Every structure is written in structure tokens, then in C-alpha cells.
């Protein structure tokens, strides 16, 4: 009896060529640098294995840097989530004129990518001690913004600056989730006698909470990894882990690259966990909103 010939293998699709640049980019600028810093975090200056760099993360100055970075990130993420949700709700479900939505979405697309030194300079020129708004408030109303305790170079100033790109990012990500709420759900709840509060409590919030929580985690990771805006705005006056990391790798005084690799490894762990939870929650939310 003749042995049947094995099935012919399908030819490789040319569509794979389209994703080659993506995988190449991810390998060169994400995977290889991450692997390099992971290895460097467990080496000393002579290349020997050591855990001293990880032990150095428990020094008071470094723990304080992580704590302040976590606080700034949490504050900007929560405020950005609240502000972004209010804006997204207003344009999707609030009954506002239709022309407002494309204007807001266009602005959000631009503002969510406006960060770094230009953003820091813009806020200093606006809300600095001699900034435009500060000067106008003083000259027109006799109101001194800085006498209230506000300082653009402080924790509150940096959080306020981060909101410029955190709120638009929340709007961009949450708007499709609000669009996914079906009108039939509200009509069915109304027919059954549910109040607006009950509809939101039993239908909307259970469906939206994965998107809300996941996007808040994404905002947290987005803020935690920011350095250019923080460095341009506060310099070294605020002890952030990103600025400390830069000083360890590039600085003349705190020059310890391997401790810097350990700092970066800690940041990768925190932001990686936030992004992983975001991806899980987003997938869970999309099951309802398809």
C-alpha cells in the first residue's frame, strides 16, 4: 500500500514583509536595550556578577525618588482620568453640539503628544513667576498666584503640567468605550423603571470600569516614565527617579551606570506591570463593547 504524500506547505505570505520593520524596531530599540540594562543591573564596573546595585535601590535617597515619582504619577493619573472622563462624557453622551467633538478630538491628538522641553517652557512662560497669566492676574486683579503657595517648579506645578497631556490621552482612549454603550441598554433600563442613577450603577459603571481603571494605569505609566518635561521644568529641585537615573548614567557627580541600570530595571518592572494590567482590563472591556 502506497504511503500518502504529506500535504504541501502553504507558501509564506508576502504580508509578513509589512510587519518586518515593526519587529525590527521593537528588537533594536526595546528588547535589546532592555536586555542590556537587565544584565548591567547585575554587574559591577569590572563586569562581575553582583547584587549590590539592586541593594542600592533601598538607599534613602533612591527610595525617596521612587516615592515622589509614584506620588506625582498617581496624582496626575487620577486627576487626568477624572478630567478626561468628564470631557469624553460631555462630547459623547452630554448632548453638546456635534461640531465640538471633532475639535476636541483633534486638540486631544495634538496635546497628548505635546511633551518634553517645549511643554516645560510653555508652562514656565505661562505660569512662572513672571509668566503671562501670573503677570495678568497681578496687574488686572491684584492677585498674586505665588502668595497662595503655588510654584510651577514644585510637586503641584509638575502635576499640573502633566495634566496637559494626561487629560487628552484619557479622552482619546475612553471615547471609543463610551461610543460602545448601546442605546438599547438605556432604553431597556428605562422601560423596566430604572432611574438614571440605577442605570449607571448597574449597567454603565460595571461595563466601563475596566476601561476607566485600565486607562488610569496607562496614564500612571505614561507619567512615571516621563523625564524631559520634569527635567526641563524642575531641573534637580524635585527628586524624581527619572532625573536620578539620568544623573547616574550621564552625570559628572553621581556617575554610576550600573546603579542607573538597576534604577531603570525598577522602572521597567513598575511600568511593565501597569501596562500589563491595562492590556488585560482593555481586553475584558472590549468583550462587552463589541
Amino acid at each position: 500500500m502506497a504511503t500518502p504524500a504529506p500535504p504541501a506547505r502553504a507558501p509564506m505570505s508576502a504580508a509578513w514583509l509589512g510587519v518586518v520593520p515593526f519587529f525590527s524596531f521593537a528588537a533594536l530599540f526595546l528588547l535589546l536595550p532592555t536586555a542590556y540594562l537587565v544584565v548591567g543591573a547585575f554587574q559591577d564596573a569590572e563586569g562581575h556578577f553582583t547584587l549590590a546595585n539592586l541593594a542600592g535601590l533601598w538607599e534613602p535617597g533612591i527610595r525617596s525618588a521612587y516615592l515622589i515619582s509614584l506620588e506625582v504619577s498617581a496624582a496626575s493619573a487620577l486627576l487626568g482620568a477624572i478630567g478626561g472622563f468628564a470631557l469624553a462624557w460631555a462630547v459623547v453622551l452630554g448632548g453638546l453640539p456635534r461640531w465640538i467633538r471633532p475639535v476636541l478630538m483633534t486638540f486631544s491628538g495634538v496635546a497628548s503628544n505635546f511633551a518634553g522641553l517645549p511643554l516645560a517652557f510653555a508652562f514656565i512662560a505661562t505660569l512662572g513667576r513672571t509668566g503671562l497669566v501670573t503677570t495678568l492676574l497681578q496687574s488686572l486683579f491684584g492677585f498674586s498666584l505665588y502668595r497662595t503657595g503655588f510654584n510651577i517648579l514644585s510637586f503641584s506645578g509638575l502635576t499640573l503640567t502633566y495634566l496637559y497631556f494626561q487629560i487628552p490621552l484619557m479622552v482619546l482612549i475612553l471615547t471609543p468605550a463610551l461610543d460602545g454603550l448601546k442605546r438599547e441598554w438605556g432604553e431597556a433600563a428605562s422601560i423596566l423603571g430604572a432611574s438614571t442613577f440605577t442605570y449607571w450603577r448597574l449597567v454603565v459603571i460595571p461595563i466601563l470600569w475596566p476601561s476607566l481603571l485600565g486607562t488610569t494605569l496607562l496614564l500612571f505609566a505614561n507619567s512615571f516614565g516621563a523625564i524631559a518635561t520634569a527635567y526641563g521644568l524642575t531641573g534637580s529641585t524635585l527628586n524624581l527617579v527619572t532625573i536620578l537615573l539620568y544623573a547616574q548614567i550621564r552625570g559628572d557627580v553621581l556617575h554610576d551606570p550600573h546603579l542607573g541600570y538597576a534604577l531603570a530595571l525598577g522602572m521597567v518592572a513598575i511600568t511593565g506591570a501597569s501596562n500589563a494590567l491595562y492590556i488585560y482590563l482593555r481586553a475584558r472591556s472590549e468583550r462587552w463593547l463589541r
Side-chain angles (χ1 to χ4, degrees), residues 114-187:
F114 186 67
L117 293 178
L119 180 62
F121 174 76
F123 268 80
I124 291 174
T126 304
L127 293 172
R129 287 189 179 275
T130 58
L132 177 62
V133 172
T134 306
T135 304
L136 286 177
L137 289 175
Q138 180 67 44
S139 59
L140 295 179
F141 305 104
F143 177 73
S144 176
L145 183 62
Y146 278 76
R147 286 185 180 176
T148 64
F150 174 79
N151 188 346
I152 195 64
L153 308 182
S154 65
F155 180 96
S156 57
L158 183 61
T159 303
L160 178 64
T161 306
Y162 279 175
L163 290 179
Y164 187 84
F165 56 80
Q166 295 279 62
I167 290 177
L169 183 60
M170 184 73 177
V171 171
L172 290 177
I173 298 177
L174 194 61
T175 297
L178 290 173
D179 282 331
L181 294 174
K182 295 180 174 57
R183 179 182 299 178
E184 293 82 356
W185 297 343
E187 294 173 350

Side-chain angles (χ1 to χ4, degrees), residues 84-85 87-89 91-93 101 104-105 108 167-182 185 207-208 211-212 215 278 282 285-290:
F85 175 75
L87 280 174
W89 175 85
V91 298
V92 175
L93 304 174
R101 176 166 176 158
L104 178 64
M105 298 304 289
S108 297
I167 290 177
L169 183 60
M170 184 73 177
V171 171
L172 290 177
I173 298 177
L174 194 61
T175 297
L178 290 173
D179 282 331
L181 294 174
K182 295 180 174 57
W185 297 343
I207 292 175
L208 286 183
S211 294
L212 287 169
T215 309
Y278 162 70
R282 184 178 178 87
S285 174
E286 288 178 348
R287 286 185 300 179
W288 283 94
L289 300 174
R290 287 173 182 167

Side-chain angles (χ1 to χ4, degrees), residues 72-123:
V72 171
S73 302
S76 67
L78 290 175
L79 294 175
I82 294 172
F85 175 75
L87 280 174
W89 175 85
V91 298
V92 175
L93 304 174
L96 296 179
R98 298 181 62 180
W99 62 267
I100 293 180
R101 176 166 176 158
V103 173
L104 178 64
M105 298 304 289
T106 302
F107 171 78
S108 297
V110 175
S112 62
N113 291 286
F114 186 67
L117 293 178
L119 180 62
F121 174 76
F123 268 80

